């Protein structure tokens, strides 16, 4: 459908007005919008004096047209986004001051026809549109009517840049690329070993078969952990991370993780566990507490050097756990990015998602986690879990 721009009020050739229009190109104070009339070239024309809020103070672009489709407000942010002088835009028809096209190259004002069509329409939801030159902006519109099915008395359009959305899209693309890379290696290994075993089972000794199957098992566990991380990220980002609180012995949980690391080849002298008792009763999700401790201790072992010290102590808000290593530590300029996605303390493996998940889990418990430098210069992570109990015990 192609509709001419004459569908906008006041677009008759050679006329600038129609019978019943207010005199002057932009001398109408819009209905329901208190303040002085805005005229092109008048002092304060772009400032919206009398609105109660200066439109030039808004971070987003704002364009307002009157009942005749003429621009009565065009703030500075809109001017920057469209490369248009706000003073020159005032008094012109909105389809000329703001020539928008959809992603298929169709004129947006002709398609939406804000001053015509159904009288029950209230506006247009935010969508990507193109300015002259192909620059994308996010545009939404509100149709203001004097009564529910009356004519449009004011058209309010907001403009936003697409930079934030692009950053989000890049973050999602990076997540997909990371996942694809991390999945490809173990799945290739699993496929290779299983195909080899199926094709040449009789040629291998029992020890060789066991080694291949153990490798397949380890790679399958790696894939499972990665999928679990992705599910956790999805729940954290959507606010749907569930915490199933039970009594948790935090000191015993720390001991289990230390013993597991020792069983995997670390020396007992590598760890120093200090527990200050009595500890307050802790109600938390035991599986998620294991995720926190496992991630922090593995990071300390992998990226740190020397002794890994774990302190468990009471805190005025609950229980505090501090994990400190004696490695090179985290550069000062990186401290603020430690708990973001894809941050890696070194290039020695990992997805860079662990600490992001740890922070989400701690905060889901109502706690807080911080990072700093230990006494020996290494990294120090400290999280505090508040004293809490299930709802049925507090009612």
């Amino acid at each position: 459908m192609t509709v001419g721009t004459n569908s906008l009020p006041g677009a008759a050739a050679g006329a600038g007005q129609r019978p019943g229009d207010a005199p002057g190109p932009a001398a109408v104070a819009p209905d329901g919008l208190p303040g002085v009339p805005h005229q092109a070239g008048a002092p304060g024309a772009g400032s919206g004096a009398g609105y109660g809020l200066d439109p030039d103070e808004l971070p987003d672009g704002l364009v307002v047209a009157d009942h005749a489709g003429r621009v009565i407000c065009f703030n500075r942010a809109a001017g920057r986004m469209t490369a248009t002088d706000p003073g020159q835009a005032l008094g012109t028809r909105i389809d000329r001051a703001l020539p928008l096209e959809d992603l298929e190259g169709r004129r947006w004002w002709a398609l939406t026809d804000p001053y015509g069509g159904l009288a029950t329409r209230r506006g247009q939801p935010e969508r990507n549109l193109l300015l002259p030159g192909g620059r994308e902006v996010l545009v939404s519109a509100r149709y203001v009517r004097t009564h529910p099915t009356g004519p449009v008395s004011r058209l309010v359009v907001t403009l936003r840049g697409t930079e934030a959305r692009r950053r989000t899209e890049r973050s999602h693309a990076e997540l997909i690329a990371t996942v694809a890379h991390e999945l490809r290696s173990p799945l290739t290994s699993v496929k290779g070993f299983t195909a080899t075993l199926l094709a040449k089972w009789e040629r291998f000794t029992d020890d060789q078969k066991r080694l291949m199957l153990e490798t397949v098992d380890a790679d399958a566990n790696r894939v499972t952990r990665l999928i679990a991380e992705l599910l956790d990220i999805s729940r954290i980002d959507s606010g749907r991370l569930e915490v199933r609180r039970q009594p948790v012995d935090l000191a015993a949980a720390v001991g289990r993780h230390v013993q597991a690391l020792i069983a995997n080849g670390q020396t007992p002298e590598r760890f120093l566990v200090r527990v200050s008792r009595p500890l307050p009763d802790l109600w938390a999700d035991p599986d998620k507490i294991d995720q926190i401790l496992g991630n922090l201790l593995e990071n300390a072992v992998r990226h740190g050097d020397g002794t890994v010290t774990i302190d468990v102590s009471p805190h005025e808000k609950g229980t505090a756990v501090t994990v400190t290593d004696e490695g090179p530590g985290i550069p000062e300029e990186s401290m603020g990015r430690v708990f973001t996605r894809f941050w890696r303390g070194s290039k020695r493996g990992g997805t860079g998602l662990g600490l992001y998940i740890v922070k989400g889990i701690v905060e889901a418990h109502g706690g807080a986690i911080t990072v700093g430098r230990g006494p020996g210069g290494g990294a120090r992570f400290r999280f505090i879990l508040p004293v809490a109990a299930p709802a049925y015990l507090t009612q």
Side-chain angles (χ1 to χ4, degrees):
M1 178 181 69
T2 303
V3 182
T5 55
N6 287 342
S7 60
L8 284 171
Q17 286 180 266
R18 297 181 304 172
D21 281 355
V28 179
D31 184 28
L33 190 64
V36 298
H38 289 266
Q39 297 179 335
S47 67
Y51 281 23
L53 175 68
D54 188 343
D56 287 339
E57 297 174 355
L58 298 175
D60 295 335
L62 174 67
V63 181
V64 182
D66 64 10
H67 69 283
R70 299 189 188 94
V71 175
I72 58 174
C73 177
F74 201 100
N75 73 348
R76 291 176 184 170
R80 288 194 300 270
M81 292 182 191
T82 61
T84 300
D85 182 356
Q88 293 181 0
L90 294 171
T92 63
R93 294 204 318 270
I94 192 166
D95 61 321
R96 292 182 178 176
L98 199 59
L100 296 167
E101 294 181 351
D102 66 13
L103 300 183
E104 298 178 5
R106 298 172 297 183
R107 290 176 295 173
W108 191 62
W109 296 114
L111 290 172
T112 57
D113 189 15
Y115 292 92
L118 294 174
T120 56
R121 295 186 304 167
R122 291 291 176 265
Q124 294 290 333
E126 186 177 74
R127 64 191 64 198
N128 276 40
L129 295 175
L130 299 176
L131 291 166
R135 181 183 178 188
E136 283 190 55
V137 287
L138 299 173
V139 180
S140 57
R142 172 75 183 278
Y143 305 159
V144 180
R145 304 177 187 273
T146 54
H147 52 89
T149 58
V152 173
S153 62
R154 190 166 72 255
L155 175 64
V156 182
V157 180
T158 59
L159 309 174
R160 291 196 302 124
T162 59
E163 291 80 7
R165 178 171 293 186
R166 294 299 181 212
R167 285 194 296 270
T168 301
E169 291 174 353
R170 284 196 296 270
S171 177
H172 290 164
E174 188 176 357
L175 178 61
I176 292 171
T178 299
V179 170
H181 174 76
E182 293 294 329
L183 285 175
R184 181 172 56 189
S185 177
L187 289 178
T188 299
S189 172
V190 169
K191 176 63 178 176
F193 278 120
T194 54
T196 301
L197 287 171
L198 288 172
K200 303 177 181 180
W201 179 266
E202 297 82 3
R203 299 185 185 182
F204 296 108
T205 66
D206 289 345
D207 289 341
Q208 289 172 326
K209 293 174 184 177
R210 175 178 293 277
L211 177 61
M212 291 185 187
L213 290 175
E214 287 175 347
T215 304
V216 168
D217 182 65
D219 285 334
N221 288 336
R222 180 177 167 189
V223 172
T224 301
R225 285 196 301 270
L226 179 60
I227 292 173
E229 285 184 348
L230 295 177
L231 291 174
D232 285 335
I233 287 175
S234 174
R235 295 185 185 110
I236 290 169
D237 289 346
S238 62
R240 295 185 292 106
L241 187 65
E242 294 184 2
V243 175
R244 303 181 185 276
R245 296 185 185 274
Q246 301 175 27
V248 174
D249 186 338
L250 201 51
V254 169
R256 287 198 307 273
H257 281 274
V258 169
Q259 290 303 317
L261 290 169
I262 293 173
N264 285 334
Q266 298 295 325
T267 61
E269 294 76 17
R270 182 81 193 273
F271 303 96
L272 172 61
V273 179
R274 299 184 296 205
V275 180
S276 300
R277 299 185 184 274
L279 296 174
D281 294 336
L282 176 65
W283 287 74
D285 189 317
D287 292 336
K288 291 180 171 54
I289 295 301
D290 282 339
Q291 275 186 270
I292 297 171
L293 293 174
N295 196 292
L296 294 181
L297 290 176
E298 286 175 12
N299 279 351
V301 169
R302 182 186 305 143
H303 303 296
D305 297 320
T307 302
V308 176
T309 303
I310 305 103
D311 290 292
V312 185
S313 60
H315 187 273
E316 59 181 4
K317 295 182 179 180
T319 305
V321 178
T322 306
V323 179
T324 308
D325 63 60
E326 297 177 347
I330 299 171
E332 195 68 31
E333 63 273 13
S334 298
M335 290 288 188
R337 297 185 290 110
V338 167
F339 297 109
T340 59
R341 291 183 185 181
F342 309 119
W343 184 86
R344 295 179 176 89
S346 72
K347 297 181 180 180
R348 288 179 286 176
T351 61
L353 302 175
L355 291 176
Y356 177 81
I357 294 172
V358 165
K359 183 174 185 289
I361 293 174
V362 171
E363 292 179 348
H365 280 81
I369 185 168
T370 57
V371 61
R373 191 172 294 278
R380 181 180 67 180
F381 288 89
R382 187 180 196 225
F383 67 92
I384 301 169
L385 297 176
V387 175
Y392 71 87
L393 290 179
T394 59
Q395 293 177 347

